[in-house]
Amino acid sequence: MARNIIKTLSFFFTLLAATAPSLSSATSATDAFVYGGCSQQKFSPSSAYESNLNSLLTSLVNSATYSSYNNFTILGSSSSDTARGLFQCRGDLSMPDCATCVARAVSQVGPLCPLTCGGALQLAGCYVKYDNISFLGQEDKTVVLKKCGPSEGYNTDGISRRDAVLTELVNGGGYFRAGGSGDVQGMGQCVGDLTVSECQDCLGTAIGKLKSDCGTAVFGDMFLAKCYARYSTDGAQHYAKSHNYKANYGGERTFAIIIGLLAAVVLLIIFLLFLRGVCSRGGGGK
């Protein structure tokens, strides 16, 4: 019976490792989970769309070895079989770190969104999105995730420096912007499929929402569908650690439920094996 229990536990921990890939990267600033989401539409296994999606994801991973942004469209026989997708790395990442982050994101978005036509995953260092519905080149200022830290009280000097950093981000050029003043650091980025004017409009909206929604918070994150803006009053340390983000999509909650169910199944199996052993000994005594 002991051998059976050991085999069962071994199977459990193997399955646990397979279903919770994000746990192994919890200490990595680049790979830290920010948010994830899935479409409601499903595709059938071994379908034409699945084949096209696999080709798309392979293209994203390969392209990330030499580019910090790219998008692909794998045409199908119909619009619903066409896979569209993109990846974007944070502007200050090296190419090796970009490639590693995108590969990590692609490996995680599949378990997060099994058999769904659309999926998106934002890690601290990169972003991956795919769908069979056209979204490339379309500005989208929907709030996906808002995170505000605890309030530090009304500090005129601190708020002035924060607002100055955020203003610098608004006035800066390019798709990736970063700046700081003292212990206040700020960062913003647009997805590369936006035009320059759309990027400016998106970042302006994100930064405006940061100011109004986070108030006197010590840090704030505002992720819109096609851009994000962040600030921290504790320097770069904020960007080097996870604040345990939880988006509306509930990706982390999904993994927690799976792990809990697996644990319950294992305990039930162990209990049944124990009962069988007791019954066997009782039968032998008669």
Side-chain angles (χ1 to χ4, degrees):
M1 185 178 72
R3 235 186 343 256
N4 289 334
I5 292 175
I6 291 173
K7 287 181 178 178
T8 301
L9 289 174
S10 176
F11 170 76
F12 167 67
F13 287 118
T14 300
L15 194 55
L16 177 62
T19 54
S22 61
L23 297 180
S24 63
S25 61
T27 58
S28 170
T30 302
D31 297 342
F33 178 88
V34 179
Y35 70 82
C38 315
S39 68
Q40 294 186 353
Q41 185 181 0
K42 299 275 190 175
F43 63 83
S44 301
S46 303
S47 62
Y49 181 72
E50 182 177 42
S51 176
N52 291 337
L53 177 59
N54 288 337
S55 297
L56 170 72
L57 296 177
T58 299
S59 297
L60 296 182
V61 172
N62 291 339
S63 181
T65 61
Y66 59 84
S67 176
S68 60
Y69 164 80
N70 214 335
N71 69 77
F72 295 90
T73 299
I74 308 298
L75 294 174
S77 58
S78 65
S79 178
S80 61
D81 289 336
T82 297
R84 305 165 174 88
L86 60 79
F87 75 89
Q88 169 107 15
C89 287
R90 203 174 65 207
D92 59 348
L93 257 59
S94 66
M95 289 315 310
D97 286 343
C98 175
T100 299
C101 186
V102 172
R104 175 79 68 177
V106 168
S107 71
Q108 291 185 12
V109 73
L112 179 67
C113 302
L115 299 179
T116 63
C117 293
L121 181 61
Q122 175 77 61
L123 301 182
C126 62
Y127 174 67
V128 167
K129 180 175 181 178
Y130 62 85
D131 210 326
N132 64 346
I133 298 174
S134 179
F135 66 91
L136 296 173
Q138 299 177 7
E139 185 179 8
D140 186 350
K141 295 186 289 184
T142 303
V143 176
V144 179
L145 175 69
K146 177 183 75 173
K147 178 77 173 181
C148 301
S151 173
E152 63 174 351
Y154 192 80
N155 180 334
T156 304
D157 181 60
I159 293 175
S160 296
R161 282 186 285 114
R162 182 206 65 179
D163 287 350
V165 170
L166 294 179
T167 299
E168 181 184 350
L169 295 183
V170 172
N171 295 333
Y175 284 77
F176 175 74
R177 308 172 187 185
S181 174
D183 63 347
V184 181
Q185 300 292 319
M187 181 185 299
Q189 187 166 19
C190 297
V191 178
D193 63 333
L194 296 183
T195 65
V196 173
S197 61
E198 288 172 341
C199 175
Q200 186 66 29
D201 180 50
C202 189
L203 281 177
T205 299
I207 290 170
K209 289 181 179 295
L210 264 184
K211 290 181 179 180
S212 62
D213 292 6
C214 290
T216 59
V218 295
F219 70 83
D221 297 337
M222 187 66 64
F223 284 83
L224 308 186
K226 285 294 182 79
C227 70
Y228 68 81
R230 318 175 74 179
Y231 76 87
S232 172
T233 56
D234 58 357
Q237 183 181 7
H238 168 63
Y239 301 114
K241 63 184 180 181
S242 170
H243 281 284
N244 193 25
Y245 302 99
K246 290 183 180 178
N248 297 328
Y249 303 111
E252 291 179 336
R253 182 172 54 190
T254 300
F255 286 123
I257 291 172
I258 292 173
I259 293 169
L261 290 174
L262 288 173
V265 170
V266 168
L267 290 175
L268 178 60
I269 292 173
I270 292 173
F271 179 68
L272 292 175
L273 289 172
F274 173 76
L275 286 180
R276 189 175 69 175
V278 170
C279 293
S280 297
R281 288 196 297 270
K286 294 179 180 178

